[in-house]
Amino acid sequence: MLKFCNVNFKYENDAAPLIENLSFKVHRGDFISIIGPSGCGKSTIFRLICGLEHGYSGNIFINDNDINNLKGYIGYMPQKDLLIPWRNILENASLPLEIRENNPKQAKKEAEKFLETFGLGSYKYKYPKDLSGGMKQRVSFIRTLLTGSEIMLLDEPFSALDAITKLSMQEWLLTQWSSFKKTILFITHDVEEALFLSSKILVVSQKPITQLKEVVVPLSYPRDRHMLSRPEILDIKEKLINELKQRVEL
């Protein structure tokens, strides 16, 4: 569904390339986490997929179509919820539909259905300042979902949440993924989070990025926390942490 073919990229002020001849594939319906130390280029991969960075060579395809020929093909959820403070929750959630359909009334009607589905119907006339961090991230996810895109890029969406809310949101996200059948790429620094959520993990372990090491998570869905204590999962976790620690120490 998503394919990088010999992609090269360098920021203008950098002496060396950040990405060099990178090729990888993502299949429809996958939940894939990308892990790696800070500054290794994880978010740059997302920015290339979104078309927010240019000046690269090689090709990036969505469903065998070059992204340079596509519009509205990606739903992107950043670390911060980026809800507009002067728009209420319903108006925030309906924004991608307003842009796509240019019909604010119909957009709000459709967004209202999703808010009800996600248990936020009673908050539709509240403003972002009135919501908890976890609730704001749910609204941000709904807004991303309403882009209508088959692929969703989630860039450390739970990193700013407290520990208990973060665990709750991980479980909530898996429920939504299994319901809506989207393809998700998820950036995280948290190895345990990656293991709990993902069908596969892509590891950034070198710079420039020439390849992504693929780790298949040997757990079925649905999942619960007890699965993380299985010996094979603990072994993968230890190896991944050691690999990331070695990369940071270089």
Side-chain angles (χ1 to χ4, degrees):
M1 187 176 192
L2 168 68
K3 185 164 59 175
F4 269 51
C5 295
N6 299 315
V7 172
N8 297 271
F9 177 77
K10 183 177 81 71
Y11 283 106
E12 187 176 348
N13 295 324
D14 289 351
L18 180 61
I19 296 172
E20 197 167 55
N21 293 322
L22 177 63
S23 297
F24 69 94
K25 295 179 181 180
V26 173
H27 298 288
R28 186 181 305 278
D30 276 348
F31 194 127
I32 290 182
S33 287
I34 302 177
I35 64 172
S38 296
C40 69
K42 302 184 299 297
S43 292
T44 300
I45 291 173
F46 271 22
R47 291 178 64 81
L48 288 169
I49 296 170
C50 291
L52 296 175
E53 295 292 349
H54 302 281
Y56 66 88
S57 63
N59 299 95
I60 303 172
F61 297 98
I62 302 283
N63 291 326
D64 294 324
N65 298 302
D66 194 297
I67 63 168
N68 292 311
N69 302 321
L70 299 174
K71 290 184 179 179
Y73 57 92
I74 286 293
Y76 178 62
M77 182 178 171
Q79 291 182 37
K80 296 182 180 179
D81 57 77
L82 298 184
L83 299 180
I84 300 171
W86 59 87
R87 290 176 67 111
N88 63 36
I89 298 310
L90 179 58
E91 291 167 338
N92 266 287
S94 64
L95 186 59
L97 291 172
E98 287 182 36
I99 294 169
R100 193 172 74 228
E101 299 175 4
N102 197 26
N103 186 336
K105 186 175 180 180
Q106 182 60 33
K108 288 179 182 177
K109 187 176 180 180
E110 187 67 22
E112 192 167 5
K113 295 178 186 176
F114 275 77
L115 289 172
E116 292 289 345
T117 299
F118 285 81
L120 293 169
S122 60
Y123 295 89
K124 61 185 176 183
Y125 296 127
K126 299 284 187 180
Y127 287 83
K129 65 180 178 60
D130 302 317
L131 271 60
S132 67
M135 293 172 74
K136 285 190 281 190
Q137 288 301 85
R138 291 186 188 193
V139 177
S140 181
F141 182 84
I142 293 170
R143 188 173 60 184
T144 306
L145 198 60
L146 287 172
T147 62
S149 305
E150 294 181 82
I151 299 181
M152 300 178 68
L153 308 182
L154 311 185
D155 191 349
E156 296 192 75
F158 307 145
S159 60
L161 301 178
D162 65 84
I164 299 302
T165 304
K166 183 177 181 178
L167 295 179
S168 176
M169 287 299 296
Q170 290 168 2
E171 293 166 2
W172 179 86
L173 177 59
L174 276 187
T175 300
Q176 309 319 315
W177 172 65
S178 58
S179 297
F180 289 95
K181 308 298 182 186
K182 298 290 185 179
T183 303
I184 292 181
L185 273 72
F186 187 97
I187 287 178
T188 180
H189 285 94
D190 186 335
V191 171
E192 187 167 298
E193 180 174 62
L195 287 167
F196 180 65
L197 293 173
S198 315
S199 50
K200 297 175 185 175
I201 298 172
L202 300 179
V203 185
V204 181
S205 57
Q206 55 184 276
K207 196 172 181 181
I209 304 171
T210 58
Q211 62 180 351
L212 297 174
K213 177 183 175 182
E214 182 180 295
V215 177
V216 176
V217 180
L219 294 176
S220 59
Y221 295 97
R223 293 181 180 176
D224 61 58
R225 298 281 167 192
H226 299 293
M227 293 178 171
L228 295 175
S229 61
R230 293 180 181 178
E232 66 271 27
I233 299 302
L234 292 175
D235 183 54
I236 294 172
K237 179 180 177 181
E238 183 178 2
K239 288 178 179 177
L240 287 174
I241 289 174
N242 287 336
E243 187 168 344
L244 294 178
K245 282 173 63 179
Q246 289 173 10
R247 179 68 186 89
V248 169
E249 291 166 1
L250 290 177

